[in-house]
Every structure is written in C-alpha cells, then in structure tokens.
Amino acid sequence: MTSATNVRQATLDLLRGLGMTTVFGNPGSTELPFLDRWPEDFTYVLGLQEASVLGMADGYARATGRAAFVNLHSAAGVGHALGNLFTAWKNQAPLVITAGQQARSLLPNLPFLGATDAASFPRPYVKFAVEPARAEDVPAAIAQAHRIAMQRPHGPTFVSVPSDDWAAPCAPVAVRAQHSDLAPDPAGIEEAAALIAAARRPVIVSGSEADAEGAGPALVALAERLGAPVWTAPFAARLAFPEDHPLHAGHLVASPEAVSAALSPHDLVLAIGAPVFTFHVAGDCAFFRSGVKLIHLTADAEAGAAAPVGTTILGALRHAIPALARLVPDRGLALPALRERPAPPAAATPIPAGWALSRLRAALPDDAVLVEEAPSHRPAMHAQLPMRRWGGFLTMASGGLGYGLPAAVGVALAKPDTRVCCLIGDGSFLYSPQALWTAVQHRLLLAVILLENGGYGALRSFSRVLQIRGAPGIDVPGVDHAGMARTLGCPSVRVTDPAALDDALRQALTADGPFLVEVAVDPAIPTLYGGKPG
C-alpha cells in the first residue's frame, strides 16, 4: 500500500527525483504555501520581474539540456512573463512552469488574483497546459508536464495550482524513465542518401537542433564527407556550424530573394534542424519554383510540415545524421580555402561597432559562452566575432527583446565556473535590466558588453528597408546604463574613447563577479536586409 503524503511534499520529492532543485521565481501570495519552510537542498533564484524569471530559466535549461522549474504568480505574473514565454517556445527551451491560483473555494466568486481559465492563458505557446481537476492530481500533472517538456522538440509546459492544493493529501508520484528521442524512418534515410549521392552541387542549411542535441561534431563530419558548403539558417538560436570552418558559407538573410540567391545555384539542399524559410520581409522566393530538391531532417514536425517544398524526415538528429553519413559516399574533396572575413573598421570616435566587436573577439576566453541580443549589430558580429565552439553561443529565435540579459544570468547559473559574456544592445538591455541584481546576488562570472547607440538600431535599419520615414519611438536618448547597473550592485564603466576599450573588456572578463561595460558606438546602422546572403 502506498503511504500518503501531501501535494507539496510529493511535488518536492518529485522535483528531487527529476534533478530540478533549482527553482526560478518571483513570489506572490498564491505561491506562499508552496514556498513555506523552503527545503535546504533547493535553490530559489529570485528574479525581480517575471519576464526576467522566464529568461533566466530558459538560459539555464538550454545550457544544461534539462528542464528548468519556474514558479510564477497567478495571471498577472504569467502575463508579465509571456514575452519570454513566446521566446522559450521559439527557442525550444524545456521548462515546467507553475503558477499560483486562488484557493479553489473562492474561484466561483471571481476572487481577487483569481486567474480565469488559467490553463488557456499561456496557450498556444506551451506544449501542455492544465489546471488539475483535483488537488491530489497536481504532482502527477507536474510529472506529465516534465515528460512533455523533454520530448523533442523541447518546449515549455504549464500547470496552474490553486493555493490551497499544496496542503491536500495525495499519493507520492514515482519518477518514470523516459527515452523520448525518435529515430528517423530508415526508408526515408535511404531515399535521402540516394538523392545526395546523385547530386553534383549539394548544399547544407543548418539550424539550432544539432547543437541542442549534441550532434554538432556529426554534422561537421557529414559536411566534410560531402564537401558541401554550409549556410546558417535565418534566426538560428544556437551555433549552427563552426564559423571558422572552411565549409561555412555564411548566414542566410531572412528575405526570400536572398535565400533564393544562395540556394538556387545548387541541385540539392539538405536542411538539418533548420526552418529554412523563416522570412522577415515579404518578397518572391523563386527557389520554390526552381525544382531544386530539398531534404529536411528535423525533430520538429511543425517546421517540417510548414516547409512549402521538399521531403521531411522526422527524427532526432543524433540518430539521423550518423545514419545518413553511413550511406552517402565520401566525395574525397579537399576543403576549400577559409572564407576571408572583412577587416575591422579603424578605431574612431564614436566607436564603430565592428571595431568594438573585433576587440571583444581578441579578449574573449576560448571557453566562454556568448549570449547575444544585439540585433542591429548582427552583421558586424558575423563579420568580426565568429562563433566557433558547440555549446558556446546562444541567442533568441523569436525577435522579442528582453531575453538576452536574463538568459545570460541563467547560463551563468548553470555553468558557475565558466565565463559568460552577454553581448546586448541598449534597447534590449532596458527590457530586463533588473536581471543584473540576480547576477550580483549569486556573484556570477558574467561580463555584460552593452553596445549603446541611443535607441532601437534595428528599427532604423528596417525603416530603410520598408522606406519608412519619420517613425516615432526609435530613439532612446539620455539613459545612463552604466549608472543603472551600479544601482543594482554591478560594477560598470562607460567607454567613449577607443583607447580605453581593451582595459574595460579585460576588467569585465576577469572580474570575480558581474561587470558591465557600456560602449558608446556609432549610431549609424547598416541595412540588415540588403538582398544578399552573408
């Protein structure tokens, strides 16, 4: 006979068994019964706003490869977190999110802090959402949420818990083993291998899935076997291919004409863990009519179904890539010469962003993890700060700002002995500056490099693409970002003189806690979508 316990104790025991003893949260009254007499073997990571909480948990989950546990506050807290929940969905970050709900006895009377139809609120950006019908079902619902979050493609899940449920009696919930990676259809792999063997000019487009699955080295080996150039897919949220490898062709620009120009000269496209056709501007994608064969290897059924052309083979890449490599012939081609990168601009005042990024590249430790949210400077970053190490780069797939800094805090919590560098724009920083407070409390090895151009530089560029003039709300002058960091306890320095940058970067990258460097960069932004891939 199974001995009885209560919902809170059963949940804590379940979380211990799942290895989820780090809890990210911002507490409210409906969460206090869960937090009562907090156990010593659990770590509660306090974020000062729920969007920061979600971003931290996302970074932590993606850095560890395990689901992170989040505790939010009723409808208002979930509402604050929704922007970064959308990003977590796009990033395929495994999260188990719980939110407090008012006591069950009060719910019929529309109580203060009651969440109406709580399970529907975060949809459609969760894989699973429920408010259990009975209190005793809460631990089992959390266990189910964890299993679903960890099934590929990973993603966030949600459980609403009425505040009086935690004291209710229930049975313990056993931790169940789960092996959720699905192998691809062997017939599909054989068909793909035959098409690749017949191709004369194959090309690979790679996205985030290979790095997330630990299949990066297998991807490199396959590319070398084929002698095929490899493009990074638009908006890849992780390293897609080592950017210092001779086969790396560059970054696909998120416009139909640019993707067509890059892919149409080939007779076969092998898309690996990448939604190739994620566009940001409208236009004509002639590739769809080109007749070029496309094979899509992915664990994401939705992305595979959304592709307007090609054959999709579903399955985990850690199985699919080696299976394909065993069947395709080694072309025996010599690697091409390493793609030449543009020289950095000369030092000047105001500081060119490309020059600043070249100095960051020189200063960054080889084993550092870079977390980026500086969208207006991505062309300069691709040119001057190539990503080289699997697991060494994270960004966001959503385009929603306010993710980068809290995500970097989460990565630093997951990797406390590794230097984490957050490269962020001033517009992005202002969405979640309070995440610095959490970094200070935990004395994280976090260097924040803030490129300050006085506003939303990406919108300046995008306005040129759309031929928009005089749009309001793009400039954000008069903010002392370095001073703001100091009010949160984070040492900082503002750099306006190029001669001072190297020393400031050294301070940030050797500090025994968080350190912010604000770099005043030239506000002129290149056009992000110029119609050419690269």
Side-chain angles (χ1 to χ4, degrees):
M1 181 176 178
T2 302
S3 59
T5 181
N6 64 28
V7 169
R8 178 179 180 274
Q9 191 58 53
T11 299
L12 293 173
D13 290 341
L14 172 69
L15 295 179
R16 289 187 180 98
L18 294 171
M20 290 200 297
T21 56
T22 298
V23 176
F24 295 84
N26 180 273
S29 57
T30 55
E31 292 70 57
L32 287 176
F34 171 62
L35 303 176
D36 181 34
R37 288 162 289 181
W38 191 243
E40 293 183 357
D41 60 325
F42 277 68
T43 300
Y44 187 88
V45 179
L46 173 62
L48 301 185
Q49 207 264 8
E50 288 89 344
S52 291
V53 169
L54 235 295
M56 291 175 197
D58 177 315
Y60 186 89
R62 295 173 73 201
T64 61
R66 305 190 309 271
F69 191 81
V70 183
N71 187 231
L72 300 178
H73 177 47
S74 192
V78 175
H80 289 159
L82 281 180
N84 274 339
L85 177 60
F86 172 68
T87 294
W89 170 263
K90 290 293 186 180
N91 289 345
Q92 299 184 356
L95 303 177
V96 177
I97 302 165
T98 57
Q101 168 69 296
Q102 259 295 7
R104 288 181 185 268
S105 61
L106 298 178
L107 290 178
N109 297 318
L110 301 178
F112 183 70
L113 295 179
T116 302
D117 199 4
S120 295
F121 192 20
R123 288 187 173 124
Y125 301 118
V126 288
K127 297 178 66 181
F128 168 81
V130 67
E131 184 173 275
R134 305 180 306 168
E136 55 263 43
D137 297 330
V138 167
I142 292 173
Q144 183 180 3
H146 176 268
R147 291 191 292 271
I148 293 172
M150 288 301 295
Q151 292 168 358
R152 296 201 184 276
H154 293 165
T157 57
F158 178 82
V159 181
S160 173
V161 185
S163 61
D164 51 352
D165 281 7
W166 296 108
C170 73
V173 174
V175 175
R176 287 170 42 190
Q178 175 175 255
H179 302 282
S180 61
D181 281 0
L182 301 179
D185 180 4
I189 293 293
E190 290 177 4
E191 178 186 337
L195 290 172
I196 292 169
R200 298 178 60 188
R201 301 181 306 281
V203 65
I204 295 173
V205 178
S206 179
S208 302
E209 288 181 43
D211 191 27
E213 291 190 26
L219 170 59
V220 172
L222 175 63
E224 292 176 348
R225 189 172 182 84
L226 300 179
V230 183
W231 287 98
T232 292
F235 305 116
R238 307 178 72 116
L239 178 67
F241 198 79
E243 295 173 19
D244 60 348
H245 192 283
L247 289 174
H248 187 247
H251 296 76
L252 285 180
V253 174
S255 77
E257 290 84 2
V259 169
S260 290
L263 302 185
S264 292
H266 299 273
D267 59 356
L268 182 138
V269 178
L270 178 59
I272 298 182
V276 180
F277 307 110
T278 304
F279 299 138
H280 193 193
V281 293
D284 176 44
C285 188
F287 176 81
F288 296 157
R289 305 183 299 276
S290 68
V292 175
K293 294 179 175 64
L294 184 143
I295 301 165
H296 196 180
L297 302 183
T298 181
D300 187 341
E302 183 180 24
V309 294
T311 299
T312 296
I313 303 172
L314 293 176
L317 296 186
R318 68 187 189 92
H319 301 308
I321 295 173
L324 186 60
R326 286 191 291 268
L327 297 179
V328 297
D330 188 336
R331 294 172 181 252
L333 300 176
L335 293 177
L338 190 65
R339 189 165 62 100
E340 187 174 349
R341 295 187 175 276
T349 303
I351 297 172
W355 182 82
L357 291 167
S358 72
R359 301 316 304 156
L360 178 59
R361 177 187 182 186
L364 202 63
D366 289 339
D367 62 347
V369 177
L370 183 74
V371 181
E372 176 266 337
E373 191 180 297
S376 50
H377 300 294
R378 279 190 188 146
M381 184 183 76
H382 294 158
Q384 304 300 334
L385 187 60
M387 300 299 111
R388 298 169 291 184
R389 187 172 60 82
W390 297 110
F393 173 68
L394 292 175
T395 185
M396 53 158 178
S398 71
L401 301 186
Y403 167 79
L405 181 57
V409 172
V411 173
L413 284 163
K415 298 179 176 292
D417 298 322
T418 299
R419 183 71 58 178
V420 176
C421 177
C422 177
L423 177 65
I424 193 164
D426 51 342
S428 297
F429 174 80
L430 290 172
Y431 276 74
S432 293
Q434 63 272 24
L436 276 180
W437 180 88
T438 303
V440 169
Q441 301 309 304
H442 292 267
R443 295 200 62 80
L444 300 178
L445 300 181
L446 176 63
V448 180
I449 312 304
L450 189 155
L451 302 181
E452 183 267 313
N453 60 19
Y456 302 115
L459 287 182
R460 294 174 186 151
S461 173
F462 207 56
S463 294
R464 291 199 297 272
V465 173
L466 298 177
Q467 298 184 6
I468 302 296
R469 296 176 176 83
I474 292 178
D475 297 327
V476 187
V479 180
D480 180 3
H481 307 89
M484 186 183 301
R486 288 191 292 273
T487 68
L488 294 166
C490 177
S492 65
V493 62
R494 175 175 168 82
V495 176
T496 58
D497 182 353
L501 182 58
D502 283 354
D503 184 62
L505 293 175
R506 180 193 59 77
Q507 289 185 72
L509 292 166
T510 58
D512 60 359
F515 194 103
L516 180 142
V517 178
E518 179 181 4
V519 187
V521 297
D522 189 338
I525 300 295
T527 300
L528 297 179
Y529 300 121
K532 295 181 180 180

